[in-house]
Amino acid sequence: MNRVLFIAILLGLSLLPARAFAADDGYAAELISQARARDLGNSRYWTLLLHYRFHIFTGWRSEADGEAFFLADDGKDDPVAELDADIRGFLAEPVEGETHAQCRFPERFHWLRQELQLDPARVPAVACPDFDYWYSRLNPGSVKLIFAAAYLNNPASMYGHTFLRFDKKDAPPGSDLLSTIINFSAKIGNDPGVIYAAKGLWGGYDGYFQTIPYYMRVQKYSNLENRDLWEYDLNLTQDQIDSMARHLWELGGTHFDYWFFDENCSYHLLAVIEIARPDLHLREQYRTWAIPIDTVRSLLADKQLIGKISYRPSFYKQTLTAREHMSREERTLTEQIAEELGPGRFEGIGALTPERQGLVLDTADLYLRYRMQRGDVEQDAAKNADREILARRAAIDARSPSYEVPTPVRPDESHHSGRIAAGAGVSRASVFEEILWRPALRDFLSPPKGFEPGSFLEMGSIRMRFTHDPGNFSANKNEFTIENYEVFKIFSLWPLDPWSFRLSWKASVGGSLPRETYCEEIHCLTGGANVGGGLSYRTGLWRSETFYVFGEALAEGGDGFSKNYRIAPIASGGIIVDLADFWQVQAEARYLYPIWGDRDPIKNERRDVWDVKVETAFYLSRNVELRGWARAGTVRDEVGGYLGWYY
C-alpha cells in the first residue's frame, strides 16, 4: 500500500506546473529582499536541500535531474533564483487540482518559515492531505543505516549496498520487519548484464528514492541472496529525523542520474543524512567514487553519530549454523526430509528426543526453503512438503536448541578500499622496482577480516615496473614498463557443499606484457578478456585451505603476437592457505595453449605458456601488508616483494 500510494503521488507531482505566483506580491518582495540581504540562496542548508554541488568552472549545479524539483526555470543552476521562486510559490494562493508548493516541498517551507520568521497572517494556510497521510504512516521515531554485505558467488556485491530504515515512534519491540526503508536505486528495466554494466558506468539510468517495507528487503538480501545485514543506529534528535523525512518526501518528485561509481545508492543517502546533520560535509569526501562501506566509515568517523550496531545473519548462515550442531544421523535425517519430499521421509525421526526432533524439523524447514529460493525443487511440491514439516513441528511440544550465528568482523572494520604498494625484485639478469595501484578492492591475499572468504574483485588496477641492470642506472639500460592492468577482475570461489552446489567462476578485462613473445616495450601491452569456470573445495586441516581448479578461455590482441592476437584455452589450479590471523599463502599454476593466432616465428609452432607463482602476505596492521612472491615459467623467473598500504 505504501509503495502504491507513493508512486501515485510521484505521478501527481510530476504533472504539476513549474511556476507559481505569490498572492501577496509585496510581502514576497519583502521576504526575497531579506533572503538576498542574508545570502540565504548560497547558504549551506539551502544548497543541501536543492542538492547543489559547486564546480570550479561551472559554479552551482544541482544533482537532481527532475524538472519538477525546481520552481525557477533556471533553478538547477541558480540557487538564488530558485529561492526567490520558492518564496513566491509558498505565498501563492492554492489552486484547485494542483498541489501547492508548501505540500511539495515541506522541508524547504519549514526552513524558510524559521529563517525568515514568516507572518502566519500573510502566508496562505494550505492543507496537505497526501503528505500528512504519508508522514503519519511513516511516523518516524528513529533511523538506522542498513548495510547489506557481500555474498558468495557474486563478488560485485562486495561493494555492498546501503539504505535507511525508519522505525515508528510507537513501534513495539520485535516489530522492526514492519518498519519502512528508504532506498535509492536505478530503474534498470530488463536490460541484459552487459547493457546494464555499460549504462551504469556512464550514467545511463535514472535513480529514484523508494519507500519499501523492511521485510521485503530482508527477504531479498538475507533470504534470497544470502547477504548479512548490519544495522547502524543513527543518533539523531527528533527535529533532525523530521527534517530528513520531510526532505525525502520532496525527493519523491525527482530523479538523479545513476552512476555506479559516484552518484550511487550510498552517495545520495549521504545527501539525505546531511539534511539532518549539515555539519558533517559527507558528500565532499566523495568526488570521484563512493564505495558503500567507505561511506559507512565516514559516518563512524563522527564518534557521536553511530549508536548500537546490530547483526542480522543471512538465511544461509542460519541454516549452516544449525547443521554444525547436528550429529551425522540428524544431518542425514534432515536431508532426507528436505530432499526426498515423499511420504516415507519422516521415518526414523521418532527415535530422537522431542528437542532433537524439533531441531531436525526446524533445520529441514530452513534447508527446504533455501532449496526453493534457489529453484532446486519444484515449487508446488516443495510448498506442500514444507507445510507437512511445519505441521509435524507444531505437534512436538518441545523447544529445539537455539544456536546463534557467531558475529563476524564487521565490514567497516575491514581494510580500506584503495591500495598503493611499492616494492622491488630480481628477474634473471636484471633488477626492478615496482609501483602497484588499485583503487578497489581486494584480491585473495588482502587482509581477510570483514570479507567473505574466496571473494576477489579488482577495479582499475595497474602494475608499473622500472627495470635496470644490477648496479647500473645509466639511461640506456633503464626500462619502464606496464606489467599488467585490469579494467576489472572478478574471481569467485564457492566451495563444494552437499547442501549447496555451485560452480566457481572468474572473469576479467585487461592486459599484460607478453614477455614470452620477447616484445617488452609498452606498445606490446595486450588487451583482452578472460572467462572461466571451475570447482573449489575447502578443508580445515590447519585453519582453512581452499583448493581450486579452472578451465578458462582467453582472447587478447597486441603487437607482440605473430598475428597480433591469440585465442587460447587455459588450465589453472591453486591453493589458498590461511596460516594465521596475520599470514596467508597462495600458490597457483597455469598453462596456456593458443589454438588461434600467435605462433613462434622461429620454430613455426604454437607458443604455449606455463607459469607457477607462490605468493605470501603478512598483515602488519589492518591496512598495511608485506608481500613476497616468486614465479617461474616460460621466459619469466622472478622473485620480489612489496609493501602495500590500503587507504
Side-chain angles (χ1 to χ4, degrees):
M1 178 63 186
N2 275 348
R3 193 172 183 181
V4 173
L5 175 63
F6 197 74
I7 292 172
I9 292 170
L10 299 188
L11 291 173
L13 289 173
S14 67
L15 298 175
L16 293 175
R19 305 293 299 272
F21 300 94
D24 189 340
D25 289 339
Y27 188 44
E30 180 183 331
L31 293 174
I32 290 171
S33 177
Q34 288 182 34
R36 292 196 172 194
R38 294 176 54 192
D39 199 22
L40 289 183
N42 291 305
S43 67
R44 174 161 175 75
Y45 199 70
W46 181 251
T47 56
L48 289 176
L49 282 173
L50 274 296
H51 292 246
Y52 290 115
R53 288 289 297 267
F54 188 82
H55 302 273
I56 295 176
F57 300 108
T58 60
W60 289 111
R61 186 168 182 80
S62 176
E63 293 169 333
D65 295 303
E67 292 184 2
F69 194 63
F70 309 99
L71 293 183
D73 290 341
D74 52 353
K76 185 174 176 66
D77 301 299
D78 190 339
V80 175
E82 179 61 29
L83 181 61
D84 294 349
D86 282 37
I87 290 174
R88 295 189 185 95
F90 295 143
L91 268 59
E93 289 296 336
V95 177
E96 187 175 356
E98 296 182 0
T99 304
H100 196 273
Q102 294 181 26
C103 303
R104 297 170 60 188
F105 307 113
E107 178 57 17
R108 297 184 200 177
F109 180 62
H110 175 81
W111 180 72
L112 282 174
R113 187 167 53 190
Q114 292 181 326
E115 289 293 323
L116 298 176
Q117 296 295 305
L118 300 186
D119 181 356
R122 304 180 69 180
V123 178
V126 180
C128 303
D130 291 337
F131 169 72
D132 292 341
Y133 175 77
W134 177 84
Y135 199 85
S136 67
R137 295 291 300 270
L138 190 65
N139 191 24
S142 62
V143 182
K144 290 179 171 60
L145 178 79
I146 311 295
F147 178 77
Y151 66 106
L152 284 176
N153 226 31
N154 189 349
S157 72
M158 274 195 293
Y159 286 132
H161 178 68
T162 55
F163 52 91
L164 293 173
R165 193 182 91 193
F166 284 76
D167 295 341
K168 296 180 187 297
K169 291 177 183 174
D170 53 356
S175 62
D176 53 343
L177 289 177
L178 300 178
S179 298
T180 300
I181 70 154
I182 304 296
N183 183 61
F184 180 81
S185 60
K187 186 177 181 181
I188 62 175
N190 298 317
D191 287 344
V194 175
I195 301 299
Y196 167 67
K199 293 177 70 173
L201 287 172
W202 297 104
Y205 290 115
D206 291 337
Y208 295 87
F209 283 91
Q210 297 172 305
T211 58
I212 305 171
Y214 187 43
Y215 66 82
M216 293 180 65
R217 273 295 177 265
V218 171
Q219 171 71 5
K220 173 181 172 61
Y221 290 136
S222 181
N223 297 357
L224 297 180
E225 297 184 352
N226 303 316
R227 303 173 73 168
D228 293 339
L229 298 178
W230 295 87
E231 302 170 348
Y232 298 80
D233 286 7
L234 299 184
N235 291 325
L236 301 174
T237 66
Q238 188 60 51
D239 286 344
Q240 291 169 335
I241 294 172
D242 291 341
S243 293
M244 287 177 68
R246 285 191 293 264
H247 182 59
L248 284 166
W249 171 264
E250 297 172 346
L251 294 175
T254 191
H255 64 270
F256 299 79
D257 290 342
Y258 188 95
W259 300 74
F260 281 160
F261 291 125
D262 50 5
E263 291 191 43
N264 54 27
C265 63
S266 294
Y267 175 83
H268 285 296
L269 285 189
L270 295 181
V272 174
I273 294 172
E274 283 182 325
I275 295 298
R277 288 282 308 275
D279 58 306
L280 291 179
H281 296 268
L282 297 169
R283 286 185 300 160
E284 297 169 13
Q285 302 173 34
Y286 299 95
R287 294 188 178 277
T288 308
W289 57 74
I291 296 177
I293 193 59
D294 289 341
T295 66
V296 175
R297 293 192 186 99
S298 294
L299 298 177
L300 285 163
D302 186 294
K303 302 301 182 186
Q304 306 301 318
L305 180 59
I306 301 295
K308 181 181 176 184
I309 302 174
S310 304
Y311 171 59
R312 184 184 291 272
S314 71
F315 187 71
Y316 184 60
K317 283 187 178 176
Q318 295 176 50
T319 306
L320 295 185
T321 300
R323 186 179 72 175
E324 290 173 359
H325 292 83
M326 302 173 80
S327 67
R328 181 185 297 272
E329 292 74 18
E330 289 169 341
R331 290 187 188 186
T332 302
L333 191 54
T334 301
E335 293 167 3
Q336 173 183 302
I337 293 172
E339 294 177 358
E340 296 182 4
L341 307 186
R345 59 199 174 103
F346 294 100
E347 185 177 342
I349 194 171
L352 302 177
T353 64
E355 290 78 11
R356 304 308 291 185
Q357 288 185 45
L359 176 62
V360 167
L361 291 171
D362 288 342
T363 310
D365 174 53
L366 290 172
Y367 180 31
L368 178 57
R369 282 194 282 155
Y370 174 70
R371 297 185 70 221
M372 292 168 62
Q373 289 154 8
R374 288 186 52 198
D376 292 345
V377 61
E378 199 277 321
Q379 296 295 304
D380 290 339
K383 289 177 182 176
N384 292 331
D386 195 43
R387 281 194 285 270
E388 291 180 16
I389 293 174
L390 295 176
R392 281 184 174 264
R393 180 66 183 91
I396 299 173
D397 186 20
R399 177 174 296 179
S400 60
S402 176
Y403 302 113
E404 289 192 6
V405 178
T407 303
V409 175
R410 296 200 315 263
D412 63 80
E413 295 176 316
S414 64
H415 65 75
H416 289 179
S417 301
R419 187 193 69 175
I420 188 165
V426 178
S427 177
R428 294 192 173 176
S430 63
V431 297
F432 58 82
E433 293 81 39
E434 290 186 318
I435 297 290
L436 301 86
W437 180 62
R438 182 177 65 201
L441 181 65
R442 62 177 280 104
D443 56 63
F444 287 136
L445 294 185
S446 296
K449 292 182 177 178
F451 287 95
E452 290 291 331
S455 51
F456 181 124
L457 173 61
E458 289 186 332
M459 300 287 284
S461 66
I462 187 169
R463 185 173 195 147
M464 298 169 286
R465 178 177 291 186
F466 180 75
T467 306
H468 52 87
D469 291 341
N472 187 344
F473 286 84
S474 61
N476 60 347
K477 296 291 184 181
N478 296 338
E479 180 184 60
F480 170 78
T481 55
I482 294 176
E483 288 298 296
N484 59 59
Y485 68 96
E486 303 289 352
V487 178
F488 72 84
K489 186 175 184 179
I490 302 174
F491 207 138
S492 175
L493 298 182
W494 183 281
L496 294 175
D497 185 283
W499 287 16
S500 177
F501 175 82
R502 293 190 185 183
L503 289 176
S504 298
W505 60 274
K506 62 184 299 186
S508 66
V509 172
S512 62
L513 199 61
R515 291 187 181 274
E516 66 273 15
T517 67
Y518 301 98
C519 183
E520 300 182 348
E521 298 176 4
I522 197 164
H523 67 86
C524 300
L525 199 63
T526 68
N530 174 215
V531 296
L535 300 173
S536 64
Y537 185 71
R538 184 167 297 145
T539 60
L541 301 175
W542 178 253
R543 283 165 57 99
S544 173
E545 306 82 31
T546 304
F547 301 84
Y548 59 90
V549 291
F550 273 79
E552 307 173 32
L554 171 70
E556 60 180 349
D559 287 349
F561 302 130
S562 59
K563 297 182 180 178
N564 293 328
Y565 78 98
R566 70 179 173 189
I567 296 176
I570 300 173
S572 63
I575 179 174
I576 305 163
V577 183
D578 182 14
L579 291 168
D581 287 343
F582 61 89
W583 186 15
Q584 285 195 110
V585 175
Q586 179 184 10
E588 183 176 273
R590 186 167 178 263
Y591 179 74
L592 178 155
Y593 185 78
I595 54 176
W596 289 295
D598 189 45
R599 299 179 71 88
D600 188 315
I602 299 175
K603 300 177 181 177
N604 192 29
E605 62 185 25
R606 301 195 188 284
R607 189 155 42 192
D608 60 343
V609 180
W610 66 272
D611 184 71
V612 177
K613 182 178 181 181
V614 178
E615 184 169 2
T616 186
F618 298 90
Y619 312 120
L620 307 181
S621 71
R622 169 183 169 189
N623 288 308
V624 179
E625 65 179 13
L626 181 63
R627 296 205 188 188
W629 53 271
R631 69 190 310 169
T634 308
V635 178
R636 181 176 300 205
D637 296 328
E638 300 174 341
V639 177
Y642 60 80
L643 183 66
W645 172 60
Y646 292 86
Y647 60 92

